[in-house]
């Protein structure tokens, strides 16, 4: 258990509104005190490690509400052990994992299996997300009550949309009874079918079939209206287009119970990177235009998009190192997210407090899970970062089993130094 005093770091806790230079004293794995200038009792001085926090931020452990851990079923891509090791090395103390495993997490035994594996082998807290429909087939609702009782915190068919509007309506009505948030993977398959990248000037130039922005945004519109109709909460996953942003902003202004997330690749990259046909950039929804990227940043700045999730989607070389047309969609994201989010702070898009809220308290509130804040007396779960450390991202150093990281070789600013989970140092950065 940690016994440490971090002196003089900028302590940011969006849940309590704290943002000031302070000392944080952890005793036997618990946060004893957070205060501007702490003097340790004489008998404590010897056993307490003192860390100079000058220039660093001490923040709640990050929470990623959208990851794919691939276990059960695709352990060659990632496991709960490697995925959570990847999480803590990226500063995350908790993740919510999507149900598109094999078998699908559409019933209590699978949810229980995930929680058991996380307990045995996990480096951080894992919240399973259950399937909306049995087998993700989009035909029949799974048993939300059973999933909730087993420990699922939300429902989604992520990876594919719920095409049948009536089924989505029933899911929203049913989910409310069990206090579950419905997470929408918004995609009109009839519009996106066969598409390999964003539809636009670049797809025309490359001769690749495009996925138009409307494939996402039309479905966002439907799901916002269903949320309005039912009064049930909806969360829009991986928002990537300007039109989706506009629709969500409008719905929020009228009080529709909607929240939204985007991923670092949507505010960092645009579809021009596809010019070399590199499959590492293939993802769904696809990387969009520069205008879309700008709209996503503005939406983060004004709170239209509530949080940043990675959509960490590990794939092996078998799925990625092949022709563009056949390559799988998805990128890993846990170990590159923080410097990219930090980049938004350096760019002036987000304040430090806004960036940390998008990684901690905001997603925790959306799923109503007890993470993402600093509290005296509670087990120490926090992340210590250096927002100004400059380096080049090296995916070969990642803990994830997969290497499909589009940011390998990118110069960034912002490093995770320590991730404490429930009183233990789950990750400590060591100079190579
Ligand atoms: Zn998705």
């Amino acid at each position: 258990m940690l016994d440490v005093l971090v002196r003089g770091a900028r302590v940011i806790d969006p849940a309590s509104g704290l943002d000031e230079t302070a000392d944080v004293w952890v005793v036997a794995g618990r946060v004893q005190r957070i205060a501007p200038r702490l003097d340790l009792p004489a008998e404590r001085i010897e056993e307490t490690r003192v860390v100079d926090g000058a220039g660093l931020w001490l923040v709640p452990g990050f929470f990623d509400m959208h990851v794919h851990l691939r276990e059960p079923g695709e352990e060659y891509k990632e496991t709960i052990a490697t995925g959570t090791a990847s999480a803590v090395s990226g500063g995350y103390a908790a993740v919510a994992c999507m149900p598109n495993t094999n078998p699908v997490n559409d019933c209590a035994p699978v949810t229980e299996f995930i929680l058991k594996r996380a307990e045995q082998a996990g480096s951080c807290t894992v919240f399973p997300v259950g399937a909306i429909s049995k087998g993700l087939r989009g035909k029949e609702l799974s048993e939300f009550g059973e999933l909730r009782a087993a420990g699922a915190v939300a429902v989604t068919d992520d990876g594919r949309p719920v095409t049948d509007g009536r089924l989505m309506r029933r899911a929203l009505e049913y989910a409310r009874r069990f206090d579950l948030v419905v997470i929408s993977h918004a995609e009109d398959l009839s519009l996106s079918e066969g598409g390999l990248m964003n539809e636009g000037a670049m797809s025309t130039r490359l001769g690749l079939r495009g996925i138009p922005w409307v494939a996402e945004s039309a479905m966002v519109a439907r799901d916002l209206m269903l949320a309005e109709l039912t009064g049930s909460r909806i969360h829009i996953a991986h928002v990537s287009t300007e039109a989706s942003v506009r629709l969500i902003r409008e719905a929020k202004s009228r009080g529709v119970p909607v929240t939204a997330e985007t991923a670092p690749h949507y505010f960092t990259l645009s579809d021009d990177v596809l010019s070399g046909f590199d499959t590492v950039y293939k993802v769904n929804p696809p990387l969009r235009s520069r205008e879309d990227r700008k709209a996503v940043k503005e939406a983060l700045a004004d709170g239209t998009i509530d949080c940043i999730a990675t959509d960490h989607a590990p794939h092996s070389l078998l799925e990625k190192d092949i022709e563009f047309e056949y390559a799988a969609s998805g990128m890993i994201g846990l170990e590159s997210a923080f410097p990219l989010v930090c980049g938004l702070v350096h760019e002036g898009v987000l304040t430090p407090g806004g960036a940390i809220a998008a990684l901690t308290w905001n997603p925790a509130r959306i799923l109503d899970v007890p993470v993402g804040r600093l509290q005296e007396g509670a087990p120490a779960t926090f992340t210590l970062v250096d927002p100004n450390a400059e380096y080049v991202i090296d995916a070969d150093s990642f803990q994830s089993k997969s290497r499909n990281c589009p940011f390998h070789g990118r110069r960034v600013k912002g490093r995770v130094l320590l991730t404490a989970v429930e009183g233990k140092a789950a990750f400590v950065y060591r100079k190579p």
Side-chain angles (χ1 to χ4, degrees):
M1 287 293 164
L2 276 171
D3 279 290
V4 67
L5 174 68
V6 181
R7 275 226 191 269
R10 180 169 179 177
V11 182
I12 305 171
D13 179 38
S16 64
L18 179 72
D19 183 352
E20 63 181 31
T21 301
D23 295 351
V24 177
W25 182 26
V26 175
V27 178
R30 282 184 183 271
V31 180
Q32 183 81 8
R33 283 289 305 281
I34 302 173
R37 179 74 205 183
L38 284 171
D39 287 310
L40 297 194
E43 71 271 18
R44 285 288 188 189
I45 287 172
E46 204 152 298
E47 70 209 38
T48 304
R49 202 179 143 211
V50 179
V51 173
D52 179 7
L56 310 182
W57 298 349
L58 190 151
V59 300
F62 304 156
F63 171 45
D64 188 343
M65 67 173 291
H66 190 148
V67 304
H68 299 270
L69 295 178
R70 303 299 191 209
E71 184 177 358
E74 291 182 308
E75 288 83 354
Y76 68 100
K77 296 182 180 182
E78 196 80 287
T79 63
I80 289 168
T82 62
T84 56
S86 174
V88 295
S89 98
Y92 290 90
V95 297
C97 60
M98 295 294 121
N100 62 339
T101 46
N102 185 15
V104 168
N105 184 14
D106 60 3
C107 57
V110 181
T111 303
E112 284 159 3
F113 168 83
I114 292 166
L115 287 170
K116 196 165 134 242
R117 290 294 297 152
E119 181 84 44
Q120 290 167 341
S123 301
C124 71
T125 305
V126 174
F127 296 108
V129 176
I132 290 175
S133 70
K134 287 187 180 158
L136 303 176
R137 283 186 294 270
K139 300 281 183 225
E140 200 185 336
L141 292 182
S142 31
E143 296 291 344
F144 291 4
E146 177 191 317
L147 285 164
R148 177 51 124 179
V153 297
V155 288
T156 185
D157 274 1
D158 184 58
R160 55 181 83 171
V162 176
T163 296
D164 184 328
R166 189 162 152 268
L167 192 77
M168 191 59 157
R169 176 188 183 166
R170 287 182 42 223
L172 283 158
E173 289 166 347
Y174 193 40
R176 200 172 40 180
R177 277 208 263 151
F178 302 101
D179 216 13
L180 289 164
V181 185
V182 175
I183 301 173
S184 163
H185 168 113
E187 180 179 1
D188 181 328
L189 293 174
S190 65
L191 288 163
S192 63
E193 203 186 350
L196 301 168
M197 64 174 289
N198 183 49
E199 181 178 298
M202 186 55 74
S203 65
T204 309
R205 217 180 87 194
L206 301 179
L208 290 178
R209 174 101 66 100
I211 301 172
W213 55 267
V214 68
E216 172 179 311
S217 303
M219 201 60 126
V220 168
R222 183 202 73 175
D223 286 349
L224 291 173
M225 289 183 200
L226 287 174
E228 185 168 4
L229 176 74
T230 58
S232 300
R233 292 205 298 141
I234 196 148
H235 176 78
I236 310 292
H238 40 58
V239 170
S240 73
T241 76
E242 184 181 9
S244 301
V245 163
R246 207 164 55 230
L247 290 161
I248 294 163
R249 188 177 285 131
E250 189 273 343
K252 280 192 165 185
S253 77
R254 288 187 302 105
V256 178
V258 55
T259 53
E261 75 190 32
T262 192
H265 41 275
Y266 299 117
F267 61 71
T268 309
L269 303 172
S270 53
D271 60 1
D272 16 318
V273 296
L274 283 141
S275 57
F277 296 93
D278 190 339
T279 60
V280 80
Y281 297 115
K282 189 175 177 190
V283 63
N284 188 31
L287 299 174
R288 303 286 187 181
S289 70
R290 291 174 181 212
E291 292 71 36
D292 290 310
R293 182 179 57 177
K294 182 164 166 277
V296 166
K297 286 194 205 181
E298 285 165 3
L300 279 166
D302 75 8
T304 299
I305 294 178
D306 303 82
C307 70
I308 296 165
T310 65
D311 197 1
H312 179 80
H315 289 297
S316 78
L317 282 177
L318 284 174
E319 290 93 17
K320 275 295 193 185
D321 202 12
I322 52 176
E323 277 174 75
F324 201 89
E325 189 181 349
Y326 303 108
S329 292
M331 307 165 163
I332 53 171
L334 286 164
E335 289 167 88
S336 53
F338 176 69
L340 300 172
V341 176
C342 202
L344 293 180
V345 176
H346 293 302
E347 240 183 89
V349 174
L350 292 179
T351 61
I356 297 306
L359 292 170
T360 60
W361 183 234
N362 292 357
R365 267 190 305 178
I366 290 167
L367 293 185
D368 193 22
V369 288
V371 296
R373 62 186 310 178
L374 296 173
Q375 276 175 303
E376 286 182 347
T381 299
F382 66 86
T383 300
L384 189 65
V385 299
D386 180 348
N388 293 308
E390 281 192 62
Y391 60 101
V392 173
I393 291 179
D394 177 13
D396 293 326
S397 71
F398 285 179
Q399 300 300 309
S400 170
K401 227 181 215 189
S402 290
R403 289 290 172 264
N404 52 317
C405 169
F407 304 108
H408 176 68
R410 189 183 184 93
R411 180 158 280 283
V412 291
K413 210 163 145 186
R415 189 194 299 280
V416 174
L417 299 175
L418 168 74
T419 309
V421 180
E422 304 259 317
K424 290 184 195 141
F427 167 78
V428 181
Y429 168 71
R430 292 187 207 290
K431 278 201 184 100

